[in-house]
Amino acid sequence: MYAVSPRFLAALSNPHQVVTRIDAYLGGTLTAADLPHEGGSVTVDRGSKVRRQLALTIPDPGYLPWNPGDPLGVYGQQLVVQRGIRYPDGTTELVPLGTFRIDEPAGDPALGPVTVTGQSAEASVQDDRFTAPVSTSSYASTVTAITALIRETLPDAPVVNLTAGARDQSVAPITWDAQADRWDAVTQLATSMRAECYADATGRFVITDLPDLSTATPVWDVTEGPTGNLIKVSRKLARAGVYNAVIARGETSAGAGGPAVSGAAYDTDPTSPTRWGGPYGRVPRFYSSGLLTTTAACEAVAAALLRDATAPNVQTSLSSLPNPALEGADCLRLTYGGRHELVLVQSFTVPLDVDGDFAITLRASKEVTTG
């Protein structure tokens, strides 16, 4: 979660004045400050290749672009979006919701409104497919390779390694063909070190550990009652996307001509409802990457992926008072109906108006005895 003040979190459960701000930039230069807008939202989805998506409505048709350098053009223009709170003393605390390249402005030139869609920076890396074969042989480590692949597209992009102990490792030799997806390559590299990479709300590319509910620390309490911030909650059981084994496969350092290597991880917990060979059945997930060159590497990645794959086959969706500071995979403490659960955030949508819904989908849950 983005670091906000205790005052901010306390205010979310009480009546407060919402403030939003959207600024337009081109080449790092501010072209339009505090754009007038009447609605929209930012959607954050950990399951999407592009984590943050913007939908925006601007009532003034004068903002519909005609020239390449207009603030809402599609030639490198970006929107920086924030939402926050204005306190009774007049001070304001704003939280970043993302930096978005503009993909599609549209509207009636005479009457408006202008609708705008945008995506966070992963989209630019994804668009920049390799024009020639690219090898990892020149990179000293996995983080170095991730940073280089991103900065070849976005030279000034900040890339931060937030894994436990700033973990890094040597990178296995692999070559991606021309036309291959650059962002897929970044994702493969991150997975090989049991991590994920995405553009966060501040516009940084961050490399973080794959989430683990068993060790996660809650960053926000969602509670019911007159002084709480929970509006409604629903639960849905689903088998889709839930596995009880991961088989990871790769190649040896000898390259494609060498013998294949593999490693597996199984849900063997006798108390687990998804245990391998139990009533849930056998539901393996398969993952392959040329970056996995030893059995040990395959087993380590399989074990890391299994934690997410065996997340309880219950999806919890809730609506609460909006918290724009959240990030995908944040751990929340949810209290309702006399139950206390720790949950991981999968996706949510932050409204850019006062009355918009704030819906959160939670991928996993673990009941605890106290709130």
Side-chain angles (χ1 to χ4, degrees), residues 346-369:
Q346 179 68 11
S347 63
F348 59 94
T349 298
V350 180
L352 296 177
D353 53 27
V354 175
D355 299 323
D357 292 334
F358 182 59
I360 313 176
T361 299
L362 306 163
R363 174 66 178 88
S365 65
K366 179 179 72 173
E367 191 165 1
V368 292
T369 55

Side-chain angles (χ1 to χ4, degrees), residues 120-173:
S120 50
E122 301 97 333
S124 295
V125 180
Q126 184 179 358
D127 283 352
D128 187 13
R129 291 179 174 269
F130 296 129
T131 58
V134 172
S135 171
T136 60
S137 59
S138 62
Y139 301 122
S141 72
T142 302
V143 171
T144 300
I146 290 172
T147 303
L149 291 182
I150 291 172
R151 288 182 177 166
E152 285 168 6
T153 301
L154 302 169
D156 298 324
V159 181
V160 183
N161 180 11
L162 299 181
T163 57
R167 185 180 66 253
D168 197 0
Q169 63 186 36
S170 59
V171 60

Side-chain angles (χ1 to χ4, degrees), residues 42-53 120 122 183 187 190-191 194-200 206 208-213 241 285 304-311 326-331 343-349 359-364:
V42 170
T43 297
V44 181
D45 186 354
R46 181 173 166 261
S48 174
K49 289 178 69 171
V50 178
R51 180 163 290 208
R52 292 176 178 261
Q53 306 272 352
S120 50
E122 301 97 333
W183 186 250
T187 300
T191 303
R194 307 180 301 284
E196 59 185 3
C197 183
Y198 59 88
D200 72 0
V206 297
T208 62
D209 291 309
L210 292 170
D212 184 356
L213 188 59
R285 175 192 170 186
L305 293 175
L306 183 67
R307 288 195 297 269
D308 196 40
T310 57
L326 290 180
E327 180 57 85
D330 275 348
C331 180
V343 293
L344 292 178
V345 174
Q346 179 68 11
S347 63
F348 59 94
T349 298
I360 313 176
T361 299
L362 306 163
R363 174 66 178 88

Side-chain angles (χ1 to χ4, degrees), residues 15-268:
H16 58 271
Q17 183 179 355
V18 174
V19 180
T20 57
R21 181 183 176 98
I22 301 172
D23 297 320
Y25 290 84
L26 178 59
T29 299
L30 180 67
T31 57
D34 202 6
L35 287 168
H37 55 283
E38 61 181 10
S41 63
V42 170
T43 297
V44 181
D45 186 354
R46 181 173 166 261
S48 174
K49 289 178 69 171
V50 178
R51 180 163 290 208
R52 292 176 178 261
Q53 306 272 352
L54 171 68
L56 180 66
T57 301
I58 295 175
D60 185 354
Y63 281 100
L64 190 67
W66 295 93
N67 301 307
D70 286 347
L72 298 186
V74 297
Y75 301 103
Q77 285 89 335
Q78 294 179 316
L79 296 178
V80 176
V81 181
Q82 302 174 87
R83 172 177 168 139
I85 294 173
R86 178 169 290 119
Y87 298 113
D89 62 7
T91 60
T92 298
E93 185 173 357
L94 287 171
V95 174
L97 284 173
T99 298
F100 303 89
R101 71 158 194 205
I102 297 176
D103 283 344
E104 187 175 288
D108 186 311
L111 302 176
V114 181
T115 59
V116 181
T117 59
Q119 301 182 83
S120 50
E122 301 97 333
S124 295
V125 180
Q126 184 179 358
D127 283 352
D128 187 13
R129 291 179 174 269
F130 296 129
T131 58
V134 172
S135 171
T136 60
S137 59
S138 62
Y139 301 122
S141 72
T142 302
V143 171
T144 300
I146 290 172
T147 303
L149 291 182
I150 291 172
R151 288 182 177 166
E152 285 168 6
T153 301
L154 302 169
D156 298 324
V159 181
V160 183
N161 180 11
L162 299 181
T163 57
R167 185 180 66 253
D168 197 0
Q169 63 186 36
S170 59
V171 60
I174 185 176
T175 298
W176 290 285
D177 294 332
Q179 301 183 41
D181 186 317
R182 181 183 295 267
W183 186 250
D184 283 348
V186 170
T187 300
Q188 278 189 50
L189 286 161
T191 303
S192 74
M193 58 183 290
R194 307 180 301 284
E196 59 185 3
C197 183
Y198 59 88
D200 72 0
T202 68
R204 304 178 306 171
F205 286 90
V206 297
I207 306 167
T208 62
D209 291 309
L210 292 170
D212 184 356
L213 188 59
S214 66
T215 59
T217 300
V219 298
W220 190 42
D221 289 323
V222 181
T223 59
E224 62 183 352
T227 60
N229 48 16
L230 179 61
I231 299 173
K232 61 181 180 181
V233 63
S234 64
R235 293 171 65 84
K236 178 179 73 174
L237 294 175
R239 290 182 62 98
V242 179
Y243 306 89
N244 51 15
V246 175
I247 315 299
R249 293 174 174 163
E251 299 288 341
T252 66
S253 58
V261 294
S262 66
Y266 297 89
D267 180 1
T268 57

